Amino acid sequence: LPTNEEADRLPDAIKEAAKAGVDAFIVADLGVLDACKTVAPDIDVHMSTQTGITNWAAARAAYHLGAKRVVLAREMSRSEIAAITRTVPIETEVFVHGALCMCVSGQCYMSSVIGERSGNRGLCAQPCRLPFASGRKGDSGYALSLKDLSLARRVRELSELGVDSFKIEGRMKRPEYVAAAVSQFKQALRGEQADLDLMAAVFSRSGFTQGYFDGKLGPEMFGTRQKEDVLAGQKVLKSLNDLASKDVPRVGVDFAFSMKADEPVTLTASDGEGHRASVQGEPPQAALKAPTNEELVRRSLEKTGGTFYYLNSLAAELGEGLICPASQLNALRRQALDGLTAQRGQIVPKPFSRPQHIPAPKHQPAWQQDEHLPLRAQEHLPLRVQVRSVSQLTENLCGKCELLIVPLDELLRGAGGLSRAVLRKVAVSLPRVVFGDDEKELTEKLMRCRELGVQHLSTGNLGGVYLGKKLGFTVHGEYGLNIASSGCLAEYERLGVQDCLLSFELSLARARAIGGTLPRGLLIYGRLPLMVTRNCPIRLAGCKDCKGFGTLTDRKREVFEVRCTERKYSEIFNSKPLYLGDRMEELDGFDYGLLYFTSEGPKQVDKVLARYAATHEPMAGITRGLYWRNVK
């Protein structure tokens, strides 16, 4: 997710990759995707797991954007993967082994808020591996640490689902880890039993899990690195080091050998990837004893030790009563493979065209008037509000805020108590993540919202944008879109989004530097949403006595709220609310500010609103978020 200050270097990065002849780019940012397709159109683009591809709508949106492949979210079940592979004409890549993040990819802000290192920019400090206690019976004190994933015994199943590529996660792991994981998956693909004990000995967190794939969530998916896990590795590392250090044959070669009287002996080697090398030797001699047969040729060509080739097939055309000495056969083999290696080692640059530099238009705060929203009072930053409960929509809030963002299920429950005037200002908010099994139900509920007169939809994921536009809503972008640059903002404008909330990982200076014409806002109040998880960190004792709310306490005794949404996923919120009410004069240049209420009651909601709309007085026990810090 490049910031504007980094975007100028993007064309050079693409150019270097094109010169190196790379086969594909993996991208998480729509602006980067557009840049890649514009300046290096012959290179495929894969959409990263960071883009949150969790359902059919998101995969379909990626397809229409021109992506060749999507890397699916690690939290998806077997049936949810199948729903995409069978209905969307796009390649799929699935994580099959390695660490699991507690948070759905692309939606984790804990590392940036706590440690100023953004997981969404690839610099996660792994705070989820630190102690977090729920205080519930059976809690190990590491309520955010999941076991590693391994689907080594499910590879045939994945293949049958139509999955195109397996991704083994192994950042910062030692070579033995790579050797164990890759060798066992290759073995599983050949129909042999993968050795999970071997892989666990190299690295695991109390064993492996396949809970997401099977749709079986719960405490058994959690685990930490134990002393016995470390000791187990010492027994196998030596043998794996030997395996990792060897040149393992990995390229199959198809040989064609021709030996005819009075003609040069020829040998052609091809690798099945378009490379082909042919060499010639002296004409064969008449055999005095045993003539050269196909078996003798095969034995010679199988001697590929010391190279990364192996004999895949042999086509031999042999004249009768002729002999080609073994020494000549060996020399021809070496020459042919050397020629093949030379071809394979050649870098084939991909076409690249540098775009003309077009300065981004200076952003003038403006509003495209909509019949469903009131005109803005330009002397103050217009306010919007996002609530978790209809009961938080006080009269003051409804009167002073231009847009009221309400969760889908909560809106359908409480719509009867809202006037038509209020409903015209309501935007139905989609869940932060929507997995495949929820899509049909989601569409039906959204159509009910349209029948109520709701015209606006607010979403933080690509699939939500696609679905909202398809159903005829005016779409507003949330922070989950991770917009950090002009290029990304422009792409969402092209997709028909009316306005967007910028990423709260940006400093104010970086946010102001974003040009373009699409109206943009900032999250200016509320407990920052740090994680959204499909596995509840406080459900160790089950859901029976849970009221949908709990807390986690970290090693510094900071308390984080955990809120469950319809028992489908949980959100973890920062320990202190973000507050900027006393610094409103520093928010010039933005089109709106969002107040995000979670646990506040109606009276507290009105007090906060008064601070932002009138008094602008300081508030105790707050954080300024990341607006005056520069996240890496």
Side-chain angles (χ1 to χ4, degrees), residues 171-183:
R171 289 172 297 171
M172 301 179 70
K173 297 292 197 299
R174 53 196 299 165
E176 293 88 348
Y177 178 96
V178 178
V182 175
S183 64

Side-chain angles (χ1 to χ4, degrees), residues 523-524 578-584 587 612 624 627-628:
L523 199 162
I524 60 174
L578 167 72
Y579 180 72
L580 304 178
D582 55 342
R583 302 184 73 164
M584 294 293 283
L587 302 182
Y612 275 88
R624 302 296 187 181
Y627 292 133
W628 284 272

Side-chain angles (χ1 to χ4, degrees), residues 31 51 54 90 112 118 186 203 307 311 331 347 397 419 500 523 605 610:
T51 51
T54 60
I90 195 168
S112 58
S118 171
K186 294 290 284 186
F203 191 93
T307 73
L311 173 62
I347 292 175
L397 207 64
S419 68
C500 280
L523 199 162
V605 164

Side-chain angles (χ1 to χ4, degrees), residues 370-428:
D370 186 286
E371 61 175 335
H372 304 295
L373 296 179
L375 289 171
R376 294 185 169 191
Q378 294 297 321
E379 65 271 17
H380 299 298
L381 180 71
L383 297 177
R384 298 183 181 183
V385 63
Q386 186 164 358
V387 299
R388 290 184 69 86
S389 169
V390 169
S391 66
Q392 294 170 310
L393 293 177
T394 66
E395 185 176 347
N396 284 334
L397 207 64
C398 293
K400 293 182 178 179
C401 294
E402 64 177 21
L403 194 66
L404 314 170
I405 303 171
V406 184
L408 173 59
D409 288 316
E410 179 63 17
L411 176 60
L412 291 175
R413 276 193 295 266
L418 302 177
S419 68
R420 279 192 173 275
V422 170
L423 284 172
R424 282 197 296 269
K425 296 174 70 173
V426 164
V428 56

Side-chain angles (χ1 to χ4, degrees), residues 46-112:
H46 300 177
M47 294 192 76
S48 166
T49 187
Q50 290 290 117
T51 51
I53 307 295
T54 60
N55 54 55
W56 172 90
R60 177 68 66 173
Y63 171 73
H64 285 304
L65 285 167
K68 178 76 176 295
R69 177 183 296 180
V70 289
V71 184
L72 299 180
R74 287 168 284 188
E75 297 79 18
M76 294 180 69
S77 69
R78 184 188 187 283
S79 62
E80 291 161 354
I81 294 170
I84 291 177
T85 59
R86 292 170 183 170
T87 59
V88 185
I90 195 168
E91 290 183 5
T92 54
E93 184 162 299
V94 170
F95 279 89
V96 294
H97 190 83
L100 285 174
C101 297
M102 182 66 182
C103 181
V104 176
S105 294
Q107 295 297 305
C108 185
Y109 306 99
M110 182 173 280
S111 179
S112 58

Side-chain angles (χ1 to χ4, degrees), residues 9-22 25 43 347 349-350 352 354:
R9 302 199 298 273
L10 179 59
D12 285 334
I14 298 174
K15 180 181 179 180
E16 288 303 310
K19 284 170 58 180
V22 302
F25 296 114
I43 301 179
I347 292 175
K350 301 289 175 66
F352 171 87
R354 178 175 292 282

